[in-house]
Amino acid sequence: KSKPTFSETGFELVFQINYLAHFLITHELLPLMIRSSSTDDRFDCRIVNTSSIWHRHGVIDFEALLGDKQTQIRLYQPGRTYYGRSKLAQIMHATYMQKQVLSPNNMRIAMMSVHPGGVRTDIFQTSKWPLYMKAVLWLLYPAWYYGMRSCEQGARTSIYCAVAPLDSTRQQQWGGYMVPGAYHENMRAASTADALRQSTDDAAMQRLYQVSMDLLQLTARTKRDYQQWTVTKQAAITDDIDDDDDADNDGSSSIEYNGGALENGVVVLTDKAYWFYSIVDTEWHKLCALR
């Protein structure tokens, strides 16, 4: 029986690469996305997990996830089952985040999962295959070429979910139909197909989320945290500003703006500060630094 490969951090490698890594970066970037999406009603953020139709072979075995290496080796099922497990986890993560975190806190952030389809890429590294496998590929090449999608075709669903309007009256633009929290195929929301239906089980999704937090040793967040990261227009204007940060590039003291004056220009958020471009004096002015 083959054995799983473990990373230096002790996680089964496929699960870490396909799921835990995505979970961690989403967790770490969420405060910035909340801040960015709350500064302007016309702006929103997207999180798109690239899952797979192979999620149908996946099962989230919590005994294996929480067990030591010997337990994971004993319960290991190689091939499509463990790959499918990681892709199922991506779907459950997206659905849980949308239902339990993003929508309840009125965030202008949409999280979805997608199946790009079978795509002609170099993921299989055929140049390293033994000669007999290359011969089989050569015989089946027409079916492989015409039966698989090009990279552009494979990217369509991911791109669509990243840019489709959140406005419910416009969600079906460009020939697709995007639903926040849902699993998507061919630019449209689709039903999941895992045998145990964990992808639609709220309790299973909640448990997977908590187990993931524990495995990565992350601190749970509260509604107060989400409110703290939400930046209103008034907060952007009246936030405390240090004298040094207020200075314009020419060394002069900063200009204080009230709500009316800010209408004579545009406020821009960079990675370090809020800036105001005035159409009156055609100058950039720093409003405040990000904390």
Side-chain angles (χ1 to χ4, degrees), residues 234-284:
Q234 186 63 28
I237 298 169
T238 61
D239 202 4
D240 294 334
I241 307 173
D242 294 333
D243 290 340
D244 290 340
D245 290 336
D246 288 344
D248 291 333
N249 291 335
D250 60 5
S252 62
S253 60
S254 71
I255 300 174
E256 293 184 5
Y257 294 94
N258 56 38
L262 281 176
E263 295 177 357
N264 297 319
V266 60
V267 176
V268 176
L269 173 64
T270 69
D271 59 340
K272 294 182 179 180
Y274 286 96
W275 292 82
F276 175 70
Y277 182 77
S278 171
I279 60 175
V280 176
D281 60 13
T282 64
E283 295 285 345
W284 284 100

Side-chain angles (χ1 to χ4, degrees), residues 156-175:
R156 288 178 184 176
T157 303
S158 298
I159 294 173
Y160 180 77
C161 287
V163 301
L166 280 179
D167 183 351
S168 60
T169 63
R170 300 171 59 207
Q171 281 180 316
Q172 298 192 50
Q173 282 190 335
W174 310 314

Side-chain angles (χ1 to χ4, degrees), residues 51-57 87 91 114-117 183 185 193:
S51 183
S52 169
I53 198 171
W54 282 67
H55 76 272
R56 65 179 59 188
H57 303 293
K87 293 303 179 179
I91 294 172
V114 304
H115 167 56
Y183 165 73
E185 296 179 7

Side-chain angles (χ1 to χ4, degrees), residues 49 60 63 68 71 88 111-112 143 148-149 151 154 160 162 187 193 199 211 230 244 267 272 283:
N49 282 350
I60 305 299
E63 181 183 357
D68 56 19
T71 301
L88 173 60
M111 186 168 182
M112 297 139 288
M148 302 281 274
R149 298 179 178 181
C151 291
Y160 180 77
M187 295 172 55
S199 59
V211 166
T230 300
D244 290 340
V267 176
K272 294 182 179 180
E283 295 285 345

Side-chain angles (χ1 to χ4, degrees), residues 53-237:
I53 198 171
W54 282 67
H55 76 272
R56 65 179 59 188
H57 303 293
V59 174
I60 305 299
D61 186 339
F62 290 102
E63 181 183 357
L65 287 182
L66 296 171
D68 56 19
K69 284 189 176 182
Q70 292 306 315
T71 301
Q72 295 187 57
I73 291 172
R74 176 173 57 85
L75 298 173
Y76 180 63
Q77 299 180 40
R80 62 186 184 182
T81 299
Y82 258 45
Y83 177 78
R85 178 183 75 159
S86 67
K87 293 303 179 179
L88 173 60
Q90 287 183 319
I91 294 172
M92 294 170 67
H93 180 213
T95 303
Y96 176 85
M97 285 292 293
Q98 191 68 52
K99 293 176 63 176
Q100 302 299 328
V101 177
L102 305 178
S103 293
N105 289 284
N106 298 315
M107 298 178 192
R108 289 186 58 77
I109 303 173
M111 186 168 182
M112 297 139 288
S113 54
V114 304
H115 167 56
V119 184
R120 297 190 301 271
T121 69
D122 293 330
I123 189 173
F124 297 109
Q125 297 182 326
T126 56
S127 61
K128 298 181 180 180
W129 285 7
L131 185 60
Y132 77 92
M133 290 187 64
K134 291 180 179 179
V136 172
L137 176 62
W138 184 81
L139 291 173
L140 299 178
Y141 185 81
W144 175 82
Y145 185 85
Y146 292 104
M148 302 281 274
R149 298 179 178 181
S150 68
C151 291
E152 183 274 328
Q153 292 170 329
R156 288 178 184 176
T157 303
S158 298
I159 294 173
Y160 180 77
C161 287
V163 301
L166 280 179
D167 183 351
S168 60
T169 63
R170 300 171 59 207
Q171 281 180 316
Q172 298 192 50
Q173 282 190 335
W174 310 314
Y177 184 50
M178 185 272 293
V179 178
Y183 165 73
H184 294 74
E185 296 179 7
N186 300 316
M187 295 172 55
R188 306 186 73 83
S191 299
T192 50
D194 54 305
L196 298 185
R197 307 306 298 143
Q198 290 175 300
S199 59
T200 58
D201 185 333
D202 289 340
M205 287 187 281
Q206 165 68 39
R207 189 177 183 190
L208 176 61
Y209 180 84
Q210 189 57 57
V211 166
S212 303
M213 293 285 287
D214 293 341
L215 289 175
L216 295 171
Q217 300 180 5
L218 300 174
T219 302
R221 289 164 172 169
T222 66
K223 190 175 185 69
R224 185 175 181 179
D225 292 325
Y226 301 132
Q227 292 172 341
Q228 172 185 327
W229 295 321
T230 300
V231 180
T232 64
K233 294 181 179 65
Q234 186 63 28
I237 298 169

